Amino acid sequence: MIHVHVHPDKATAVKSVAASIAKLIRERAAKGQRTVLGLATGSTPIPLYAELVRLHREDGLSFRTVTTFNLDEYSGLGPDHDQSYRYFMQQQLFNHVDVTPSETHVPNGLAKDVVAECAAYEAAIKKAGGIDLQVLGIGRTGHIGFNEPPAGPSTRTRQVHLDEVTRRDNASFFGDVAKVPHHAVTMGVGTILDCRRVVLLAWGEGKAEIVQRSVEVAPADSCPASWLQQHTACDFILDTAAAAKLSKTH
Ligand code: F6R
């Protein structure tokens, strides 16, 4: 079941998400427990990470008890490539908070044995106790992580082929669509459904149609995000533009 929360703008929306992440980290830390966060990249979560950095600097939020697992990484890009998701995470969050570097995990886009890398990633998530809260964005194809359609609940961390829509949507970051990799390593839809809480963020009118399909059309592999309807604790955090095509309040 997806619970939809509509905020007037993304700045207000990310404050509420950051506050609930901070509460989770603090409550678990007070009980001596680590918090395992699943993280996304792309333009959507940038203001969320800025708010978490602000909470660290101004409100004493510590990430010393936090372990992170990112959803995905482009195949062929190393951590020093300025479009790699490892690089993005360092710039947006990890370099600015007190997280232990070895507790941050992003799939290795340069792995020689991709199958072994994916199996090791799944094993590392399990060893950490599973993901407490997973942050997601959504692509216009309905992808979560880089699970392009068709993809369903049986999919696990693996290498995937990127949809041309996704490559074009990400071309501006690379300066040229030809430079956007054709493959990525991503957690599967099944890996995401295993997370104890899922929080999907979407802003702007460009996401309104796929948000409506994900929430209101029966789950199908043709819209991987629609499988989130089967999760017991999934929140969609939207601005008014991204919520504009929903037929009712959820
Ligand atoms: C990124 C990811 C993708 C993005 C999606 C939306 O780690 O997994 O699913 O969340 O492509 O991208 P933006 O936020 O740039 O619209």
Side-chain angles (χ1 to χ4, degrees), residues 34 63-68 94 97-105:
R34 299 189 64 79
F63 288 76
R64 274 192 297 268
T65 59
V66 173
T67 298
T68 67
F94 300 155
V97 297
D98 58 348
V99 69
T100 305
S102 59
E103 291 293 335
T104 68
H105 305 85

Side-chain angles (χ1 to χ4, degrees), residues 39-45 70-72 85 136-140 143-146 166 170 173 186 207:
L39 300 175
T41 57
S43 55
T44 305
N70 266 78
L71 284 163
D72 43 16
Y85 284 165
L136 297 177
I138 184 170
R140 289 190 306 130
H143 72 217
I144 46 176
F146 269 144
T166 302
N170 288 335
F173 298 112
T186 181
K207 299 287 172 76

Side-chain angles (χ1 to χ4, degrees), residues 46-78:
I46 290 175
L48 172 66
Y49 298 145
E51 176 62 9
L52 288 172
V53 170
R54 190 192 71 76
L55 288 174
H56 171 67
R57 288 190 179 144
E58 297 176 15
D59 203 31
L61 177 65
S62 174
F63 288 76
R64 274 192 297 268
T65 59
V66 173
T67 298
T68 67
F69 288 92
N70 266 78
L71 284 163
D72 43 16
E73 178 62 283
Y74 287 114
S75 295
L77 303 194

